[in-house]
């Protein structure tokens, strides 16, 4: 796989950029350049949107029988599957995701997601008849919404791109994808797969751009819907633009989820599951349960177990299968995480980590860090750190745990750990969040994923995602 590219994927072809500006991709573990790609200007966005608009209006893709769109997605699945190792390695090399995780999520889960929507595409009814209270009947028609601007972050670049592309294509939409400047190489692998799969020209287009050019895409008059995953701050700006334009938007934003350990929990089992629920992807996952709520009666025991867990995790080369925690995705992001750790040292008691790992002379590494005696009002308990930093918060009883979990500006994920399924479900029911797990946490392809409050608007995954890419029309028939 070449790591240097000189074109964008626009209109089913490799298109030369309008300027000479380039992004330089850096290996998060070595700080060495591993590739470079063109940086899009507004003119490149214009071309990509025009290609997507032409494909939507004139290629026949939107009007294609659902079975034919499903077949195209199946070809895409086959082409992506051949490139699964390349996708995983590209992601791990760029953002530091441990290779075992990138193989599972970026190289397999993401492709399964496309396969799921290929299977679901034929279930969408283009038209149905409903009884009418006033006339003879109502004919409800569903049509694809149009051109979608898909804006993807750096933490799960493959999965989060395909979670927009797959339902949009299943619905009959066309897409312009803007990957993050930090993780772009994987988008070229996906584009090569789309070309091999003979996805019609202009149905998917990839253009890498910075934030300003991304804002130009969001406001572009040729765009009909925006699908964004990223920070809450950026999401608010996008929401403002889309609100002014009355443009549909899906926002999957930040989180500060609670992992509630009940007093009957098996701590050994909890420590086995928490790395996936609270420290996934070096702590760089929006739904991570970084507020760990522990009962008063077992608080010291939980703190000790978490400190031991953090200290036992192998920090190192993300391409080494033995690594549990890789580097932060960029130097600037490591600085941000370290600033929160410094703040935490003034607000709480540090019991594990708190610095940079020894023996790592290069790379943007941070030790897995645990703070105890954290008040839920503390900065480290309220703001999204997006790194391997846990805050352990004490609670009195189940009702108090739910109250603390809900005392947040966010509401994306969460987990409840208990030996009683019924009790776990009861506690989970009281937590105001878009998703929550019992004795574990990992999103399911077939179920809606998204947040409440500052964690976003709309849902991805599940059949509900397709609905976000459809327009509805009711025709009232009186005779």
């Amino acid at each position: 796989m070449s790591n240097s590219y000189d074109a964008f994927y626009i209109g089913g072809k490799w298109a030369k950029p309008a300027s000479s500006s380039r992004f330089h991709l850096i290996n998060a573990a070595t700080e060495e350049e591993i590739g470079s790609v063109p940086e899009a200007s507004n003119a490149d966005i214009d071309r990509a949107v025009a290609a997507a608009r032409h494909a939507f209006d004139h290629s026949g893709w939107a009007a294609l029988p659902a079975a034919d769109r499903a077949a195209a997605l199946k070809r895409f699945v086959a082409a992506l599957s051949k490139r699964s190792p390349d996708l995983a390695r590209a992601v791990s090399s760029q953002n530091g995701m441990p290779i075992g995780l990138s193989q599972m999520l970026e190289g397999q889960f993401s492709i399964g997601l496309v396969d799921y929507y290929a299977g679901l595409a034929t279930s969408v009814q283009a038209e149905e008849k409903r009884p009418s209270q006033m006339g003879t009947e109502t004919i409800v028609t569903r049509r694809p919404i149009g051109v979608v601007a898909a804006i993807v972050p750096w933490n799960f670049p493959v999965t989060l791109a395909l979670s927009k592309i797959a339902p949009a294509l299943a619905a009959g939409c066309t897409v312009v994808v803007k990957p993050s400047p930090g993780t772009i190489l994987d988008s070229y692998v996906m584009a090569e797969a789309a070309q091999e799969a003979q996805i019609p020209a202009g149905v998917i287009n990839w253009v890498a751009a910075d934030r300003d050019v991304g804002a130009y895409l969001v406001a572009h008059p040729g765009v009909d819907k925006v699908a964004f995953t990223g920070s809450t701050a950026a999401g608010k700006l996008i929401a403002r633009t889309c609100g002014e334009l009355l443009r549909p938007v899906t926002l999957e934003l930040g989180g500060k989820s609670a992992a509630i350990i009940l007093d009957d929990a098996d701590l050994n089992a909890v420590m086995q599951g928490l790395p996936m629920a609270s420290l996934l992807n070096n702590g760089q996952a929006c739904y991570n349960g970084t507020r760990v709520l522990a009962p008063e009666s077992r608080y010291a025991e939980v703190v000790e177990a978490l400190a031991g867990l953090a200290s036992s995790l192998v920090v190192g080369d993300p391409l080494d299968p033995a690594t549990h925690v890789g580097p932060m995705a960029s130097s600037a992001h490591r600085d941000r995480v370290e600033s929160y750790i410094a703040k935490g040292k003034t607000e709480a008691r540090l019991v594990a980590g708190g610095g940079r790992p020894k023996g790592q002379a290069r790379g943007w590494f941070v030790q897995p860090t645990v703070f105890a005696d954290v008040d839920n009002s503390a900065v480290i308990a309220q703001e999204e750190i997006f790194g391997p930093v846990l805050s352990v918060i004490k609670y009195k009883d189940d009702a108090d745990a739910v109250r603390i979990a809900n005392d947040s500006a966010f509401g994306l994920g969460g987990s409840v750990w208990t030996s009683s399924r019924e009790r776990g479900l009861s506690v989970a029911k009281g937590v105001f969040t878009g998703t929550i797990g019992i004795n574990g946490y990992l999103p399911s392809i077939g179920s809606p994923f998204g947040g409440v409050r500052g964690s976003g608007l709309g849902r991805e995954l599940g059949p509900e995602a397709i609905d976000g890419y459809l327009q509805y029309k009711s025709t009232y028939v009186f005779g």
Side-chain angles (χ1 to χ4, degrees):
M1 180 182 66
S2 172
N3 286 334
S4 290
Y5 298 88
D6 297 312
F8 300 117
Y9 189 70
I10 298 175
K13 300 177 181 179
W14 295 103
K16 293 294 182 183
S19 77
S20 59
S21 298
R22 296 184 69 81
F23 287 120
H24 296 275
L25 285 306
I26 307 299
N27 185 305
T30 66
E31 303 181 46
E32 297 173 346
E33 183 173 324
I34 55 174
S36 67
V37 303
E39 177 181 351
S41 64
N42 289 356
D44 298 305
I45 295 294
D46 289 338
R47 285 193 295 162
V49 172
R53 172 56 58 195
H54 186 272
F56 184 77
D57 291 341
H58 304 292
S59 74
W61 175 258
L64 206 63
D68 292 345
R69 288 200 297 270
L73 284 169
K74 285 287 189 181
R75 295 195 303 270
F76 193 26
V77 168
L80 287 167
S81 295
K82 291 194 295 188
R83 294 164 172 82
S84 177
D86 292 340
L87 289 169
R89 190 172 182 87
V91 171
S92 292
S93 296
Q94 292 172 100
N95 72 5
M97 183 185 298
I99 190 68
L101 183 65
S102 60
Q103 288 170 339
M104 180 179 71
L105 295 183
E106 299 290 79
Q108 295 177 18
F109 181 92
S110 63
I111 299 170
L113 191 153
V114 181
D115 192 54
Y116 170 80
Y117 285 105
L120 208 60
T122 55
S123 69
V124 179
Q125 283 185 280
E127 182 176 293
E128 67 173 293
K129 295 180 180 179
R130 298 182 185 178
S132 174
Q133 286 72 37
M134 300 298 292
T136 305
E137 64 182 7
T138 298
I139 301 172
V140 178
T141 53
R142 298 174 179 85
R143 295 289 183 265
I145 204 166
V147 175
V148 176
I151 301 176
V152 182
W154 48 260
N155 59 330
F156 293 97
V158 179
T159 297
L160 294 174
L162 293 176
S163 68
K164 297 164 180 56
I165 293 169
L169 266 60
C173 297
T174 59
V175 186
V176 176
V177 187
K178 190 205 83 67
S180 164
T183 47
I184 308 173
L185 298 177
D186 47 279
S187 66
Y188 282 87
V189 180
M190 287 187 279
E192 290 165 359
Q195 190 172 46
E196 180 185 314
Q198 298 181 321
I199 301 296
V203 170
I204 317 177
N205 309 271
W206 274 272
V207 280
D210 66 10
R211 183 169 294 183
D212 290 341
V213 176
Y216 179 76
L217 172 62
V218 168
H220 199 286
V223 167
D224 299 302
K225 185 221 167 80
V226 176
F228 170 78
T229 300
S231 72
T232 299
K236 288 180 178 179
L237 295 175
I238 290 171
R240 185 175 298 125
T241 298
C242 290
E244 291 173 353
L245 295 171
L246 297 179
R247 178 166 294 168
V249 60
T250 300
L251 301 170
E252 198 272 281
L253 307 177
K256 193 70 180 180
S257 303
I260 304 172
I261 301 175
L262 299 185
D263 57 18
D264 64 353
D266 177 348
L267 273 192
N268 289 328
V270 174
M271 294 306 125
Q272 291 291 318
L274 271 183
M276 284 291 285
S278 296
L279 291 166
L280 188 74
N281 194 18
N282 316 329
Q284 298 171 144
C286 50
Y287 54 68
N288 274 335
T290 53
R291 289 185 297 148
V292 180
L293 278 52
E296 283 181 336
S297 61
R298 301 185 68 185
Y299 188 78
E301 184 185 0
V302 171
V303 168
E304 182 180 4
L306 283 171
L309 171 65
S311 300
S312 72
L313 297 174
V314 176
V315 181
D317 180 2
L319 297 179
D320 183 344
T323 293
H324 297 126
V325 179
M328 300 295 93
S330 68
S331 175
H333 187 59
R334 180 179 65 177
D335 290 347
R336 180 178 185 275
V337 172
E338 289 183 331
S339 72
Y340 275 108
I341 292 174
K343 179 64 175 176
K345 290 176 180 178
T346 71
E347 294 183 312
R349 176 167 58 95
L350 179 69
V351 294
R356 298 180 183 181
K358 296 178 180 178
Q360 300 289 353
R362 305 187 74 180
W364 303 309
F365 293 94
V366 173
Q367 290 177 320
T369 298
V370 179
F371 287 102
D373 302 334
V374 181
D375 189 276
N376 195 57
S377 65
V379 170
I380 59 170
Q382 287 294 316
E383 297 185 11
E384 185 176 38
I385 298 173
F386 223 59
V389 182
L390 302 180
S391 296
V392 193
I393 300 167
K394 188 182 299 183
Y395 70 86
K396 296 177 182 178
D397 53 26
D398 291 5
D400 193 39
V402 170
R403 179 191 64 79
I404 294 170
N406 290 337
D407 183 15
S408 171
F410 302 100
L412 183 58
S415 56
V416 182
W417 304 82
T418 175
S419 61
S420 168
R421 181 177 183 272
E422 291 71 23
R423 186 180 174 198
L425 288 169
S426 176
V427 171
K429 186 177 181 179
V431 180
F432 187 48
T433 184
T435 65
I436 195 164
I438 309 296
N439 293 326
Y441 183 95
L442 194 64
S444 169
I445 290 174
S447 302
F449 175 83
V452 297
R453 294 187 290 208
S455 291
L457 301 168
R459 292 295 182 267
E460 294 190 329
L461 305 183
E464 290 80 5
I466 293 182
D467 200 54
Y469 295 97
L470 295 171
Q471 290 277 26
Y472 284 77
K473 179 180 180 179
S474 294
T475 302
Y476 310 120
V477 181
F478 288 88

